[in-house]
């Protein structure tokens, strides 16, 4: 019943079948994937609109350091790993990106500041074309700045992980989860459900996305290192799996 509340049997019996694992994998292969692409958005102090978020061209030292936590910088030209829709032949999506190999999975990050910037384009469609079509995105903040998921108009983005630099840390780099602004909507910020029971929330998703772990610790402050990377990447992957169960993606699966 922990798996399914509708189960009402008292006892289960083991069934020995050599090909059982293959059958289970084949049944679930439409969800299981070893390739992931996540957006990474750099939000500077005071930025509160989509145009400002996608219009940033420079990276702060703190943001650069955070990218090193996520993975390694790779040159896109002739890149042989999972490219996440980025151009590895003609350089039309920038010259470099951030990539990670994690638990037999390949992850390509769509970093807002590394995607091409187009002069005169307020919407920066080259950047939004990739990040706006991701399902999960990270928002990195140097300082405390309000972030509301509705800042970014997208039919695909269903979950956000907000990471903020802990100011005044004396023993190495620390990251914390900042509060997401509350609003009168019963599900949080404009149809977004907080994924912890307290107001101090930095992981949010649309209200039809089921809960996904691992849960945030209390206090939600992390020291830079492999443990933080493992927590963050696991959270991102689980978030995408959970988003597939949202109404929009469930309808696509039925089709």
């Amino acid at each position: 019943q922990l798996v399914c509340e509708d189960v009402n049997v008292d006892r289960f019996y083991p069934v020995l079948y050599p090909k059982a694992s293959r059958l289970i994998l084949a049944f679930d292969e439409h969800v299981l994937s070893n390739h992931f692409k996540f957006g990474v958005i750099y939000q500077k102090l005071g930025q509160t609109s989509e145009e400002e978020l996608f219009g940033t061209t420079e990276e702060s030292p703190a943001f650069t350091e955070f990218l090193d936590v996520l993975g390694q910088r790779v040159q896109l030209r002739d890149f042989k790993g999972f490219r996440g829709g980025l151009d590895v032949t003609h350089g039309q999506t920038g010259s470099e990106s951030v990539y990670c190999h994690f638990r037999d999975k390949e992850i390509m990050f769509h970093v807002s500041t590394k995607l091409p910037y187009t002069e005169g384009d307020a919407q920066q469609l080259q950047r939004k074309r990739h990040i706006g079509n991701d399902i999960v995105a990270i928002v990195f903040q140097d300082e405390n700045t309000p972030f509301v998921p509705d800042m970014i108009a997208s039919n695909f983005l269903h979950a956000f992980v907000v990471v903020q630099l802990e100011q005044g840390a004396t023993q190495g780099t620390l990251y914390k989860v900042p509060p997401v602004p509350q609003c009168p909507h019963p599900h949080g910020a404009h149809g977004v459900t907080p994924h912890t029971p307290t107001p101090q929330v930095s992981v949010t998703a649309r209200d039809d996305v089921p809960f996904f772990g691992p849960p945030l610790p209390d206090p939600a402050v992390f020291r830079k290192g492999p443990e933080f990377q493992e927590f963050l990447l696991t959270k991102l992957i689980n978030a995408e799996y959970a988003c597939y169960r949202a109404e929009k993606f469930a309808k696509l699966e039925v089709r």
Side-chain angles (χ1 to χ4, degrees), residues 31-249:
V31 174
L32 293 177
S33 174
N34 290 325
H35 296 149
F36 295 87
K37 56 187 183 72
F38 301 119
V40 182
I41 302 167
Y42 175 38
Q43 183 184 20
K44 298 175 67 176
L45 180 65
Q47 291 184 336
T48 57
S49 69
E50 178 179 295
E51 289 75 16
E52 291 174 324
L53 293 177
F54 288 129
T56 301
T57 56
E58 70 277 1
E59 299 176 355
S60 69
F63 181 57
T64 301
E65 185 177 8
F66 174 69
L67 293 179
D68 292 335
V69 172
L70 292 179
Q72 64 185 88
R73 298 167 187 270
V74 294
Q75 295 299 310
L76 289 177
R77 184 173 292 276
D78 298 325
F79 180 68
K80 302 304 181 184
F82 173 63
R83 61 189 182 92
L86 299 179
D87 180 15
V88 297
T89 304
H90 304 291
Q92 295 183 354
T93 56
S95 60
E96 72 170 17
S97 191
V98 177
Y99 167 87
C100 180
H101 194 274
F102 175 70
R103 292 183 178 176
D104 297 325
K105 295 175 172 57
E106 291 184 85
I107 302 173
M108 178 61 78
F109 293 95
H110 294 152
V111 184
S112 61
T113 53
K114 296 188 180 302
L115 292 168
Y117 175 84
T118 305
E119 290 285 350
D121 181 7
Q123 292 184 301
Q124 293 302 318
L125 294 179
Q126 273 277 67
R127 293 177 167 183
K128 186 175 179 180
R129 179 167 66 92
H130 291 282
I131 297 177
N133 284 316
D134 291 329
I135 298 174
V136 182
I138 301 171
V139 177
F140 179 84
Q141 304 173 338
D142 289 322
E143 303 178 62
N144 187 22
T145 295
F147 173 78
V148 178
D150 277 4
M151 288 179 184
I152 303 174
S154 170
N155 290 324
F156 288 92
L157 280 171
H158 273 55
F160 294 88
V161 178
V162 183
V163 177
Q164 185 182 114
L165 182 69
E166 173 79 331
Q167 299 293 335
T170 58
Q171 298 180 347
T173 304
L174 295 178
Y175 301 101
K176 67 178 180 179
V177 292
V180 170
Q182 301 299 300
C183 71
H185 192 285
H187 294 294
H190 299 282
V192 174
T193 302
H195 274 257
T196 69
T198 68
Q200 301 296 315
V201 177
S202 72
V203 181
T204 62
R206 295 190 184 186
D207 52 11
D208 57 347
V209 176
F211 174 82
F212 51 88
L216 290 169
D218 184 16
V221 178
F222 300 86
R223 188 173 302 280
K224 176 186 175 183
E227 290 185 0
F228 176 50
Q229 183 198 45
E230 179 165 341
F231 174 89
L232 193 56
L233 297 182
T234 302
K235 192 73 170 176
L236 293 171
I237 291 171
N238 288 346
E240 180 156 319
Y241 284 146
C243 289
Y244 287 142
R245 297 164 62 187
E247 182 179 358
K248 178 182 180 65
F249 296 106

